[in-house]
Amino acid sequence: MAASFPETAISTERLLLRPLAEDDAPGLAAMMADELVLAWTDHPHPFTEAHALDLARTLAPAHRATGRGIVLAVTEHLTQRLVGLVELRHTDWRLRSTEISFVTAAWARGEGYAPEAVLGVAQWLFEDRGFLRLELRTAAGNTAAQQVAQKIGGISEGVLRSAWIVRGESGESAAPGDRRAHGRPDRDLSGYDPSGHDPAGYDRRDPDRPAVGESRSDLILWSLLPEDMETPETAAPAWAGGDRYVLRD
């Protein structure tokens, strides 16, 4: 039997990361309809509630059960509103390494939710699951996703040339954050899944789907190791609700 992640929930200061549920379908479909999500991801377009239900019921559970990774809904503690989606994928159990990708809802950008969620997952991986490496890949033009990688302490390891497809007008621009499309340039723009496959391994590239102005993009490869994470000297212990790691300016 393949190794796999357990069903789990991860709590941070403001967020709860938990398994995706059927009730998340309307919010997930609305989140995926955003112009910037279209530009930087390879999800089906349009992404419908039927897609969301299939992901929650079948694809995400299969993704976890087969050991490829895990898909987590990101919600606010106070409102339980869906903030985003985080996925671990391409997990190598021998190397104890995996890749993370994320989507942030348009209304939640600029609040620091993306780095908080990613850092929470990294902390869980390193301390609770014994992992030794976390990777993040960001499109060359997605400067805000690169800022997320920097804020969590990620180290840039190089560029994968012409390794991703971006879609639509915003994907073809030099830096989507500069377009002020969401009112907060270069802050917490979601970057997600720089391959062509969904969280459970199915191909998102639908040959019957109309083309949406695709173009090729380089990818920046970032890594995070346990020793890269900065621990505050005066932090309270984890069991007391203290933050064990800090975001970088």
Side-chain angles (χ1 to χ4, degrees):
M1 182 176 178
S4 62
F5 291 111
E7 288 193 7
T8 190
I10 300 169
S11 181
T12 68
E13 181 181 358
R14 298 176 296 169
L15 303 172
L16 176 66
L17 288 73
R18 55 161 176 76
L20 195 62
E22 293 184 17
D23 290 346
D24 295 318
L28 183 57
M31 181 169 63
M32 296 300 185
D34 180 68
E35 176 187 84
L36 296 178
V37 174
L38 168 65
W40 297 118
T41 77
D42 205 6
H43 285 287
H45 176 70
F47 188 96
T48 65
E49 287 193 29
H51 287 111
L53 286 170
D54 193 30
L55 180 59
R57 291 170 176 169
T58 305
L59 300 173
H63 184 61
R64 185 191 67 80
T66 55
R68 291 191 291 266
I70 193 170
V71 181
L72 297 169
V74 183
T75 61
E76 286 184 317
H77 277 308
L78 291 178
T79 66
Q80 285 79 57
R81 191 175 181 185
L82 185 66
V83 167
L85 197 68
V86 168
E87 176 196 350
L88 296 178
R89 60 195 321 277
H90 295 152
T91 304
D92 188 319
W93 292 96
R94 184 167 177 264
L95 291 177
R96 308 301 286 184
S97 173
T98 191
E99 179 185 330
I100 194 166
S101 53
F102 57 91
V103 171
T104 306
W107 66 268
R109 294 180 190 136
E111 302 299 327
Y113 286 145
E116 182 176 332
V118 173
L119 191 62
V121 173
Q123 178 176 299
W124 173 72
L125 282 170
F126 295 150
E127 294 203 349
D128 297 340
R129 308 311 306 172
F131 270 63
L132 300 174
R133 177 179 172 91
L134 180 63
E135 292 185 357
L136 175 64
R137 303 181 183 205
T138 62
N142 194 345
T143 56
Q146 294 159 28
Q147 289 178 1
V148 171
Q150 292 168 344
K151 286 180 178 180
I152 66 170
I155 304 300
S156 175
E157 294 189 341
V159 176
L160 308 177
R161 296 181 298 164
S162 194
W164 191 27
I165 300 292
V166 295
R167 302 181 299 189
E169 181 183 351
S170 57
E172 295 167 355
S173 65
D178 293 338
R179 297 174 66 246
R180 275 65 176 178
H182 48 77
R184 293 185 173 96
D186 297 330
R187 296 180 64 193
D188 290 344
L189 177 65
S190 59
Y192 186 79
D193 191 15
S195 76
H197 303 282
D198 80 290
Y202 77 96
D203 194 340
R204 289 193 179 107
R205 296 189 181 95
D206 182 356
D208 298 324
R209 187 182 69 209
V212 195
E214 294 183 343
S215 60
R216 300 195 73 88
S217 170
D218 294 344
L219 284 175
I220 301 173
L221 173 62
W222 305 81
S223 69
L224 185 69
L225 308 184
E227 57 264 33
D228 297 327
M229 299 183 72
E230 181 179 341
T231 306
E233 296 179 0
T234 58
W239 53 264
D243 294 327
R244 286 171 285 181
Y245 299 105
V246 298
L247 296 174
R248 305 183 183 213
D249 293 332

